[in-house]
Amino acid sequence: MNPSDYQDNNDVRLLSLMSEGNQLAFRQIYLRYWEKLYPYARNILNDDGLTEDVLHEVFTNIWAKRSETKIENLKSYLFNAVRNRSLVTIRNDRFTEFDEFLIGELVLPAEVEQEFDKVDTVSAIERAAKGLPSRCRTIFYMNKFQHYSTNEIAAHFNISHRTVENQISLAIKHLRAELGTTMFIVMLFL
């Protein structure tokens, strides 16, 4: 069968085929609903990059859990999933430009600088960063150690600028939790 053969199938049939691992049925679901879901999510998030991320997560999740999830009404399920994922994204997206400004303006106290040896600090950062997902860790290293801009990283991975910012924010939150505040401040100045 080719992809156009699936256009006439109703949602129930597409879900049934998808649950059996049929990628063409999943593709038809994606094509059928992506353009309807995009403006809905964009209206909630007010950001193209976040909107794309949310839609990607929802469709990835529906494919990954295709054999486990029982969906009665696909349209309703997708709109609810997008709404819920959008609200979670808003709730978790607390790292603002003001936060970045404050971090950029921090001055390292002399006693803290003397307390930590750079080699030990880098070693601690590397150990803590091992707990990050691979792509998140790579984006963090590219930004903080190799000094790539978020635009350069976004172009390298073919992802949105906002996704790069989110990944760096997640890495920083993880490292702050792992290293503690004092060590985290030292890390910022390396």
Side-chain angles (χ1 to χ4, degrees), residues 45-65:
L45 296 165
N46 202 28
D47 182 277
D48 291 327
L50 288 177
T51 299
E52 291 170 10
D53 290 347
V54 163
L55 291 178
H56 178 75
E57 288 177 35
V58 167
F59 280 107
T60 300
N61 191 44
I62 197 172
W63 175 255
K65 296 182 178 182

Side-chain angles (χ1 to χ4, degrees), residues 135-189:
R135 186 165 164 184
C136 183
R137 183 174 55 244
T138 301
I139 289 171
F140 175 76
Y141 279 132
M142 287 176 75
N143 181 257
K144 298 301 179 189
F145 291 107
Q146 297 170 341
H147 308 292
Y148 284 94
S149 71
T150 53
N151 288 334
E152 291 170 325
I153 297 168
H156 175 77
F157 286 107
N158 195 25
I159 57 178
S160 73
H161 174 81
R162 186 67 177 169
T163 300
V164 172
E165 289 175 343
N166 287 342
Q167 292 295 303
I168 292 169
S169 176
L170 287 171
I172 288 172
K173 287 176 185 176
H174 172 79
L175 292 174
R176 186 183 298 145
E178 289 291 316
L179 299 173
T181 306
T182 306
M183 180 69 97
F184 179 74
I185 292 171
V186 170
M187 178 199 77
L188 293 174
F189 289 94

Side-chain angles (χ1 to χ4, degrees), residues 3-35:
S4 63
D5 294 339
Y6 289 86
Q7 291 176 345
D8 295 330
N9 284 305
N10 64 24
D11 289 349
V12 174
R13 178 71 179 139
L14 289 173
L15 284 169
S16 175
L17 291 168
M18 184 188 71
S19 71
E20 297 168 0
N22 187 313
Q23 293 178 6
L24 293 175
F26 172 73
R27 179 175 162 76
Q28 185 58 43
I29 290 170
Y30 177 87
L31 292 173
R32 186 173 290 176
Y33 285 102
W34 190 89
E35 288 184 14

